[in-house]
Amino acid sequence: MVKTPIYMDNHATTPCDRRVLDAMLPYFTDKFGNAASRNHSFGWEAEEGVDKARNQIANLVGAKSKEIVFTSGATESDNLAIKGIVEFYKDKGNHIITCVTEHKAVLDSCRALERQGKATVTYLPVDKYGMVDPDAVRRAITDKTVLISIMYANNEIGTIHPIAEIGKIAKEKGVVFHCDAVQAVGKIPVDVEKDGIDLLAMSGHKIYGPKGVGALYVRSKGPRVRLTPIIDGGGHERGMRSGTLNVTGIVGFGAACEIAGHEMAAEAARLTELRNRLQAGIFERLDEVYVNGHPTERLPGNLNVSFAYVEGESLLMGISDIAVSSGSACTSATLEPSYVIRALGINEELAHSSIRFGIGRFNTAEEVDYVSERVSKEVKRLREMSPLYEMAKDGVDLKSVQWKS
Amino acid sequence: MSYSDKVLDHYNNPRNVGSFAKDDPSVGTGVVGAPECGDVMKLQLRISDDGVIEDAKFKTFGCGSAIASSSYVTELVKGKKIDEAMAIKNTVIVKELNLPPVKIHCSVLAEDAIKAAITDWKKRKGDTREAAAAEPAKAHKG
């Protein structure tokens, strides 16, 4: 018997790994110094912890340690990258290229700049698998383009973008390339050199590290990327991000990166197997189930599924002992389903029926089997209650119905 | 978001799920909402010749609050005269189920479903004057 509730929402956040916590603990109490204190051992000790973490993080993404700028999380990293570049390069141009399925931290940073009249933004569409076309990126570049911002892998549907191709185009055209790699770092190989990435946003808590810490990789050579800080103060992090360093968080983030790097190959294979097992378990029990996202180019632990004729939020309610996430945003005032799922061009009813499973380090095959059985049972119950399922079974084409809402 | 106990109860043990035969002349069917909005309710009422609701059944595609609202409505209307049922306001549903503000549309939809079902029944009875007011969704075989 599996222990419930089961946590299978590892794209939202992950539990802190015990090994990470152990690395952090001394920095709360004995090694509590301010890493910026240059004239006593307490400061040096804290700085040593930060330096080690900087190396661990840099190693995981093929960067140099001095290129890592610590932040409060990936949202801040995205803000710093986008707003910092636009401000710094304002004499060169004001055009940003991004994509409709980006995280809100990217989209809303772009929108804020548009609103302030500081930038014009091209939002590229995605194909039915949620992938952006590198040629579309190339075509969108103008002589005013100062930034391309495309995520490594999508947080809802797991689709991995052709980052190396986009990086190559950016380099050719001399445009800075920012990549929100929150879901990819530590899960799949990310290499800022091979991928041609100039700015890379990362987060601690998505890779079994603590919340409240993240980083922005800022390329130092070929080309040297410069940006205007969004937080001013003591000039920490080479002036790019002032504020006393979150030493405990940074130490934990570093430890999390080292563990993720060591275990990546084996863990990715294990997660892929579990994901396929979950998918097979659901598909053998139910008809009219559809996978959202790319069939092969996707994150190992990600499965996003639409269960036709069943509304996502009600399904979540029925499986309350399983923590997953719904693409339907029925709780928000807009009543609109996820903008990522909608961008795939699937019909609205299916968009309201999507569930995201995020399998992680601590999930087991037993849990996966429990989830596929439990979810399938609930979908069947809700379909018996669904007028849409009844109409479809009666041969009514739902598209031909004139709905009265 | 957490749900009230009453919403959970209706969701876990929905009352009167199902369908009556569509061609039964004593049955009025109301289908309201739209799949793209994430809510579709089908409410069917079996109504006696003298206008008393004898039985009710529902099917709902929607969130837990939408399912609970329609389940509750089937209990609420049974035994009521049609003019009493027509006068039911969504606020009664909001109060009974303790719906939060973001879920008020579910209760509005349930109120609309009652009106649509009764209107459909009247239309079937040949009373076209009142039926013109609220026409239920039309389904075409595809």
Side-chain angles (χ1 to χ4, degrees):
Chain A
M1 195 58 196
V2 296
K3 193 166 153 265
T4 56
I6 293 171
Y7 187 76
M8 211 173 268
D9 198 13
N10 287 283
H11 300 301
T13 191
T14 57
C16 202
D17 192 297
R18 178 60 62 174
R19 294 167 288 181
V20 169
L21 180 65
D22 288 343
M24 291 169 70
L25 285 175
Y27 290 89
F28 282 105
T29 49
D30 299 339
K31 305 181 180 182
F32 64 87
N34 187 328
S37 297
R38 291 291 154 94
N39 43 12
H40 53 65
S41 63
F42 295 89
W44 302 332
E45 209 168 41
E47 197 186 15
E48 257 172 51
V50 170
D51 285 346
K52 184 180 172 193
R54 225 185 269 284
N55 271 320
Q56 288 166 317
I57 296 160
N59 280 341
L60 184 61
V61 298
K64 295 187 273 292
S65 62
K66 64 168 187 178
E67 296 175 314
I68 302 297
V69 174
F70 287 113
T71 65
S72 63
T75 290
E76 189 192 327
S77 300
D78 285 330
N79 271 265
L80 174 57
I82 294 165
K83 294 173 181 171
I85 288 290
V86 166
E87 181 63 27
F88 192 88
Y89 293 97
K90 64 183 171 194
D91 294 333
K92 195 184 162 213
N94 64 348
H95 179 232
I96 303 171
I97 298 167
T98 186
C99 153
V100 291
T101 56
E102 288 294 307
H103 192 270
K104 287 284 181 192
V106 168
L107 292 177
D108 287 355
S109 292
C110 289
R111 289 205 184 99
L113 291 169
E114 280 182 299
R115 238 184 358 256
Q116 294 159 6
K118 290 179 177 169
T120 59
V121 184
T122 301
Y123 300 93
L124 295 174
V126 292
D127 66 14
K128 62 178 178 173
Y129 300 130
M131 199 180 267
V132 77
D133 175 6
D135 281 333
V137 175
R138 184 192 295 276
R139 286 193 300 272
I141 296 172
T142 71
D143 54 0
K144 292 279 177 210
T145 307
V146 288
L147 183 70
I148 297 168
S149 181
I150 302 287
M151 70 197 334
Y152 214 105
N154 184 270
N155 50 309
E156 288 193 35
I157 53 174
T159 296
I160 302 165
H161 287 297
I163 291 302
E165 281 181 69
I166 297 166
K168 211 171 141 213
I169 292 164
K171 194 121 301 164
E172 250 174 65
K173 301 280 186 179
V175 178
V176 173
F177 178 29
H178 167 58
C179 181
D180 175 334
V182 169
Q183 298 291 341
V185 164
K187 314 282 170 60
I188 55 173
V190 172
D191 188 305
V192 292
E193 292 305 327
K194 284 187 200 146
D195 294 330
I197 295 165
D198 299 316
L199 296 156
L200 186 88
M202 299 171 261
S203 172
H205 74 103
K206 308 284 192 190
I207 53 169
Y208 311 93
K211 293 170 184 61
V213 62
L216 182 67
Y217 155 80
V218 183
R219 177 173 290 282
S220 63
K221 227 171 108 184
R224 178 183 173 206
V225 174
R226 305 187 56 194
L227 42 80
T228 304
I230 54 175
I231 295 177
D232 298 305
H236 308 72
E237 299 299 274
R238 294 185 295 132
M240 282 188 267
R241 205 281 191 177
S242 288
T244 297
L245 290 179
N246 169 11
V247 178
T248 46
I250 288 166
V251 167
F253 185 16
C257 284
E258 188 172 332
I259 294 167
H262 276 149
E263 299 179 353
M264 190 188 293
E267 181 63 359
R270 190 187 77 92
L271 290 178
T272 303
E273 205 182 306
L274 286 182
R275 193 265 314 286
N276 293 345
R277 185 183 178 115
L278 178 62
Q279 187 174 333
I282 290 169
F283 275 64
E284 73 194 20
R285 289 180 175 88
L286 295 171
D287 60 348
E288 299 221 45
V289 204
Y290 306 92
V291 172
N292 300 312
H294 202 281
T296 54
E297 295 301 304
R298 69 187 301 141
L299 290 171
N302 174 277
L303 182 65
N304 190 308
V305 176
S306 284
F307 299 91
Y309 317 119
V310 169
E311 195 272 334
E313 193 187 322
S314 67
L315 179 53
L316 289 196
M317 198 172 158
I319 52 167
S320 52
D321 57 345
I322 302 168
V324 291
S325 148
S326 162
S328 121
C330 194
T331 43
S332 76
T334 60
L335 301 179
E336 279 179 2
S338 142
Y339 64 95
V340 174
I341 304 285
R342 281 162 62 114
L344 306 180
I346 69 170
N347 78 50
E348 295 264 357
E349 179 248 318
L350 278 180
H352 276 287
S353 309
S354 74
I355 298 285
R356 177 186 70 180
F357 301 90
I359 306 171
R361 185 177 288 168
F362 302 108
N363 289 124
T364 63
E366 290 70 37
E367 288 179 332
V368 161
D369 292 346
Y370 177 85
V371 168
S372 58
E373 200 184 322
R374 185 87 176 73
V375 167
S376 303
K377 206 175 137 197
E378 190 60 22
V379 168
K380 281 180 187 162
R381 183 180 91 94
L382 290 170
R383 280 182 176 173
E384 285 311 310
M385 234 190 273
S386 167
L388 303 181
Y389 190 63
E390 183 182 64
M391 289 164 95
K393 291 289 149 190
D394 285 349
V396 176
D397 177 5
L398 295 176
K399 286 190 194 70
S400 75
V401 178
Q402 293 170 292
W403 300 102
K404 183 177 168 288
S405 51
Chain B
M1 198 187 86
S2 62
Y3 299 93
S4 72
D5 290 345
K6 282 186 176 165
V7 168
L8 284 170
D9 180 39
H10 278 283
Y11 173 81
N12 289 318
N13 310 292
R15 280 52 142 186
N16 309 305
V17 176
S19 300
F20 295 124
K22 266 175 281 183
D23 45 7
D24 185 338
S26 67
V27 170
T29 302
V31 181
V32 295
E36 60 264 32
C37 305
D39 291 301
V40 176
M41 277 182 198
K42 187 188 81 167
L43 179 68
Q44 289 187 303
L45 304 175
R46 186 195 295 284
I47 302 170
S48 67
D49 286 342
D50 55 351
V52 175
I53 298 169
E54 293 174 328
D55 204 355
K57 284 199 185 296
F58 86 94
K59 284 202 173 190
T60 290
F61 164 84
C63 66
S65 301
I67 290 172
S69 295
S70 34
S71 168
Y72 171 59
V73 153
T74 60
E75 287 190 319
L76 188 64
V77 297
K78 266 197 223 179
K80 281 201 165 52
K81 293 202 172 96
I82 51 171
D83 50 345
E84 288 173 327
M86 283 299 261
I88 291 172
K89 288 270 169 284
N90 77 297
T91 46
V92 178
I93 304 164
V94 173
K95 208 173 158 195
E96 166 69 17
L97 298 176
N98 201 7
L99 296 179
V102 291
K103 295 298 182 186
I104 285 176
H105 71 277
C106 298
S107 68
V108 174
L109 212 54
E111 180 192 321
D112 291 348
I114 302 173
K115 293 187 164 66
I118 292 172
T119 306
D120 180 56
W121 176 80
K122 285 184 180 170
K123 202 164 106 185
R124 284 158 174 275
K125 288 277 155 194
D127 190 344
T128 47
R129 275 173 297 125
E130 288 182 58
E135 202 158 298
K138 286 192 188 80
H140 303 288
K141 293 246 174 185

